[in-house]
Amino acid sequence: GRAVPIRDGSGTIIKWFGTCTDIHDQKMAQERMRNINRELEHSVLERTRQLRELSEKDQANIQRLKEIIHNLPMGAVALDEQDTILHYNDRFLTTFNLKASLDELIGTKGADLRKAIKGSSLYPEQYVQQLERIVASRLSSMGDEIQLRDGRIIARDHMPIFDKGIYRGFLLLYTDVTQERRSDASKSEFMSLASHQLRTP
């Protein structure tokens, strides 16, 4: 409230004139704003903490993925949903005689990698088209075989990765099956020859 004195001609106060304003609503609004700001600050701090925890978990998961891929007994490369290379192992490099150092290809596009590998394949265009079709389908594909120019046979497994139904990328595994295929061919040849000998008097 505010009071103003009313004086007569001699300067003596004869009465007071006062005004009162109800500021209850204003005070309540200010208190609500303080509470909202406190809640907002608390929410921001809590969300920051959650994001930090998620980031730490993501980093731990990425490290775990790297360790798993590094220790696999076959060539392996993991790519994300944008077809960007996340990680790969030494066996992958040696399978295709790639001269890159480990980590050199991380962050590059899978299409560039397919071009580099294509030169090793006996049927390069077929290799690229088949792999791009498999990746686009987002379906798993097991045991596809690639014939390399140097005579080796490589089995390829493609596994899409989903997290709670959301596509997150894929894992490619490459296994040299040359010895097994040669062994199978030798067995088949032996059985054919034995069968022929047994039929011939």
Side-chain angles (χ1 to χ4, degrees):
R2 186 177 174 202
V4 177
I6 306 295
R7 300 176 190 276
D8 62 11
S10 65
T12 305
I13 297 173
I14 54 173
K15 59 181 166 179
W16 289 85
F17 177 74
T19 59
C20 282
T21 305
D22 183 355
I23 59 169
H24 178 264
D25 290 342
Q26 182 181 352
K27 289 286 186 187
M28 290 299 291
Q30 287 174 348
E31 185 60 28
R32 276 196 302 272
M33 280 304 293
R34 277 193 291 273
N35 289 337
I36 288 169
N37 285 339
R38 275 195 295 270
E39 287 172 15
L40 184 60
E41 186 178 324
H42 176 74
S43 294
V44 168
L45 289 171
E46 180 62 19
R47 186 61 183 149
T48 302
R49 185 189 63 75
Q50 289 171 353
L51 288 172
R52 190 180 310 112
E53 282 179 8
L54 284 172
S55 177
E56 287 169 3
K57 282 182 186 173
D58 284 346
Q59 290 301 318
N61 286 337
I62 288 169
Q63 188 57 39
R64 213 172 358 246
L65 172 69
K66 286 182 176 183
E67 287 169 11
I68 290 168
I69 289 175
H70 179 73
N71 291 302
L72 283 172
M74 72 272 292
V77 59
L79 296 98
D80 68 11
E81 68 276 14
Q82 304 298 323
D83 196 31
T84 302
I85 298 168
L86 296 174
H87 198 62
Y88 55 96
N89 62 11
D90 283 321
R91 280 194 173 91
F92 173 74
L93 297 174
T94 55
T95 298
F96 293 101
N97 297 317
L98 296 174
K99 301 300 180 214
S101 63
L102 209 57
D103 293 339
E104 192 176 323
L105 297 174
I106 290 174
T108 63
K109 287 294 178 188
D112 296 332
L113 184 62
R114 290 189 282 279
K115 283 179 195 167
I117 293 172
K118 168 174 144 173
S120 301
S121 176
L122 189 59
Y123 306 105
E125 295 307 321
Q126 180 185 356
Y127 165 78
V128 171
Q129 287 169 5
Q130 188 184 38
L131 184 53
E132 287 181 350
R133 180 179 46 77
I134 291 167
V135 169
S137 75
R138 296 185 179 178
L139 298 172
S140 62
S141 175
M142 310 299 276
D144 291 330
E145 290 190 357
I146 308 159
Q147 290 186 327
L148 299 187
R149 290 180 188 274
D150 62 11
R152 287 179 298 137
I153 300 167
I154 307 297
R156 175 185 60 209
D157 297 329
H158 169 267
M159 289 175 283
I161 300 165
F162 290 90
D163 177 23
K164 296 176 186 170
I166 299 169
Y167 179 67
R168 295 295 186 191
F170 57 95
L171 180 66
L172 288 167
L173 301 175
Y174 294 93
T175 308
D176 190 332
V177 292
T178 309
Q179 294 302 328
E180 290 93 326
R181 296 302 169 263
R182 286 183 183 156
S183 177
D184 291 346
S186 295
K187 284 179 196 172
S188 179
E189 189 179 320
F190 171 76
M191 292 301 288
S192 177
L193 182 62
S195 175
H196 174 72
Q197 291 297 327
L198 290 170
R199 283 195 310 267
T200 305

